[in-house]
Amino acid sequence: MASPPQAWGPLSEAQKNIFRHKTLVKIAEKHGKTAAQIILRWHYQRGIPTIPKTVRTDRITENLDIFDFTLTAKEMEAIAAMDIGHSEIIAHRSFCTARQLNSVKIHG
């Protein structure tokens, strides 16, 4: 059986003012949560394992505080509609990216 997809960098590495996106902020205010918590909850409700990177204790605690609310179907759809169809973190179709990834030695 294949492994499920995994959200590596589920918070978009805090790029493009993701935590101030109007859709996320509106949903966050409704639930008394942060935009980061809304993003993590969206992944959780979709069954996507996430790996949010942080070394700050307050953010680790915040990232774990996503289990006391549920996003509605409408909220889930609104967040899904934010998809731009490609990663803003890494250019998967770029020659430079391919060269960089091919230079990484994983084993041995």
Side-chain angles (χ1 to χ4, degrees):
M1 178 153 87
S3 298
Q6 185 177 73
W8 181 86
L11 301 176
S12 192
E13 295 184 355
Q15 295 181 29
K16 309 284 185 179
N17 286 322
I18 190 73
F19 301 129
R20 292 191 179 114
H21 191 284
K22 65 181 179 179
T23 299
L24 297 173
V25 169
K26 181 178 177 183
I27 295 169
E29 288 173 353
K30 176 184 169 192
H31 291 281
K33 297 293 182 179
T34 66
Q37 289 170 311
I38 298 304
I39 296 167
L40 294 173
R41 181 66 197 194
W42 179 74
H43 285 292
Y44 176 77
Q45 282 186 222
R46 294 173 56 230
I48 308 286
T50 61
I51 304 174
K53 185 226 172 259
T54 187
V55 296
R56 291 181 42 182
T57 303
D58 58 329
R59 287 191 182 147
I60 293 169
T61 301
E62 178 184 318
N63 290 346
L64 291 170
D65 188 23
I66 63 166
F67 301 105
D68 60 347
F69 72 102
T70 301
L71 298 171
T72 66
K74 186 176 180 179
E75 292 167 338
M76 294 288 289
E77 291 170 11
I79 297 166
M82 293 171 54
D83 186 358
I84 59 173
H86 61 84
S87 172
E88 290 187 308
I89 297 172
I90 187 169
H92 293 288
R93 293 187 171 95
S94 164
F95 168 76
C96 295
T97 301
R99 183 175 55 202
Q100 179 184 8
L101 292 174
N102 284 326
S103 71
V104 176
K105 187 174 183 179
I106 298 173
H107 299 287

